[in-house]
Amino acid sequence: MRTQIAAANWKMNLTLQQAEALVDELLQTPHSVNADQLAIFAVPFPYLITVKNKLAGKQNIFVAAQNCYHKKNGAYTGEVSAEMLKSIGIEYVVLGHSERREYFNETNAMLGEKVNIAFEYGIKPIFCCGEPLSIREAGSQNSFVETQLKESLFHLTADQLKGFIIAYEPIWAIGTGKTATSDQAQEMHAHIRNVFATQYGNDVADTISILYGGSVKASNAKEIFGKADVDGGLVGGASLIAAEFATIIDSLK
Ligand code: PGA
């Protein structure tokens, strides 16, 4: 069975005190992360070490950065490198979130470089893709997402892609309360898996965890995660409420 993943994306929210309180509350709220499941917390850079320490010793629970720079090191004031993340023991990084693509002009080519640099330091990317509303309305979402994947990931080897994590997040469903239907999610997830199968074979495609993101909450997680090609979720707003996120974790297959 593919790894099923509930990933929290806190985005640019919470003070340190609020972040600590949220983790404490979550740990006190009953939930279970089984052997073939992961819970991952993508938190702001200044809280990485604190949250990691709080979660130390918890089985299958990890901390992720929300981004890293696409260059190794040097005169890039204000940026954070994969090497820095590695040096503080961070094992996952979210790359290519639509907010980064839109507000910080991250391109498919640049994201390919970020993926490379993450791999170089042994950090596992959670690679985001997804179409804007105009593309969905034009019915060209499949080819749009396929291009994102090809231009950022198809230089990788089959070995690198085994167990890779993709997050499909239709931009029109992020933070809008408007979730894709579970059938729409399944349709795109199956397409994404097929894109990898065509290029790399089923052996690789069947190991890739494809998460759905966009207004996932406690009340809809079970139905969405229940679909055959949906391997969990990347959760924004609802991950800021302990009880919501605990239920989302428990909704994993
Ligand atoms: P949302 O965000 O759950 O608040 O829609 C998801 C995301 O952007 O990762």
Side-chain angles (χ1 to χ4, degrees), residues 9 11 97 99 169 173-175 214-216 234-237:
N9 178 9
K11 308 191 180 185
H97 190 280
E99 288 148 18
E169 301 201 304
I174 295 178
S215 299
V216 172
L234 179 58
V235 186

Side-chain angles (χ1 to χ4, degrees), residues 6-7 169 172-181 212-226 232-252:
E169 301 201 304
W172 45 274
I174 295 178
T176 57
K178 193 175 168 191
T179 325
T181 65
Y212 169 80
S215 299
V216 172
K217 37 189 186 283
S219 59
N220 61 22
K222 192 129 200 136
E223 190 193 332
I224 299 170
F225 297 173
L234 179 58
V235 186
S239 75
L240 300 172
I241 303 162
E244 280 276 318
F245 196 62
T247 303
I248 290 168
I249 293 173
D250 282 340
S251 304
L252 291 172

Side-chain angles (χ1 to χ4, degrees), residues 149-168:
L149 301 173
K150 283 185 171 165
E151 293 188 357
S152 299
L153 302 176
F154 271 24
H155 61 283
L156 297 172
T157 65
D159 266 357
Q160 285 175 310
L161 282 169
K162 280 196 182 133
F164 197 79
I165 307 170
I166 299 278
Y168 166 62

Side-chain angles (χ1 to χ4, degrees), residues 10-242:
W10 288 0
K11 308 191 180 185
M12 196 178 76
N13 290 298
L14 308 176
T15 62
L16 175 62
Q17 293 71 25
Q18 291 167 333
E20 291 186 289
L22 176 59
V23 175
D24 288 341
E25 200 184 334
L26 185 83
L27 292 176
Q28 284 155 20
T29 309
H31 65 274
S32 62
V33 188
N34 302 332
D36 49 5
Q37 299 174 340
L38 294 179
I40 301 177
F41 292 83
V43 311
F45 288 128
Y47 312 153
L48 284 168
I49 294 178
T50 308
V51 175
K52 186 176 157 55
N53 288 343
K54 272 194 168 289
L55 296 173
K58 302 285 169 211
Q59 217 60 40
N60 295 336
I61 302 189
F62 293 92
V63 176
Q66 297 176 7
N67 181 33
C68 71
Y69 200 52
H70 59 286
K71 304 278 185 203
K72 248 183 158 161
N73 54 36
Y76 303 105
T77 303
E79 292 298 330
V80 172
S81 70
E83 186 179 31
M84 292 173 188
L85 297 177
K86 181 72 183 170
S87 75
I88 58 166
I90 297 302
E91 293 168 70
Y92 292 88
V93 63
V94 176
L95 294 177
H97 190 280
S98 62
E99 288 148 18
R100 303 260 0 138
R101 292 174 185 265
E102 185 180 348
Y103 307 137
F104 303 95
N105 304 317
E106 295 193 358
T107 62
N108 293 341
M110 185 193 294
L111 290 168
E113 290 180 56
K114 291 194 183 204
V115 168
N116 288 349
I117 229 155
F119 269 120
E120 192 175 330
Y121 289 97
I123 299 172
K124 301 179 195 76
I126 298 168
F127 183 85
C128 304
C129 59
E131 80 287 356
L133 185 60
S134 58
I135 296 285
R136 169 66 62 166
E137 284 174 346
S140 30
Q141 65 272 14
N142 283 7
S143 60
F144 183 89
V145 168
E146 191 167 337
T147 301
Q148 289 181 320
L149 301 173
K150 283 185 171 165
E151 293 188 357
S152 299
L153 302 176
F154 271 24
H155 61 283
L156 297 172
T157 65
D159 266 357
Q160 285 175 310
L161 282 169
K162 280 196 182 133
F164 197 79
I165 307 170
I166 299 278
Y168 166 62
E169 301 201 304
I171 297 170
W172 45 274
I174 295 178
T176 57
K178 193 175 168 191
T179 325
T181 65
S182 55
D183 286 338
Q184 283 174 319
Q186 167 57 25
E187 199 181 319
M188 178 59 86
H189 284 224
H191 170 64
I192 291 171
R193 201 173 304 288
N194 189 48
V195 166
F196 285 106
T198 305
Q199 180 76 8
Y200 291 94
N202 286 329
D203 280 7
V204 172
D206 287 343
T207 67
I208 297 178
S209 295
I210 308 176
L211 320 186
Y212 169 80
S215 299
V216 172
K217 37 189 186 283
S219 59
N220 61 22
K222 192 129 200 136
E223 190 193 332
I224 299 170
F225 297 173
K227 292 290 175 181
D229 286 289
V230 179
D231 304 311
L234 179 58
V235 186
S239 75
L240 300 172
I241 303 162

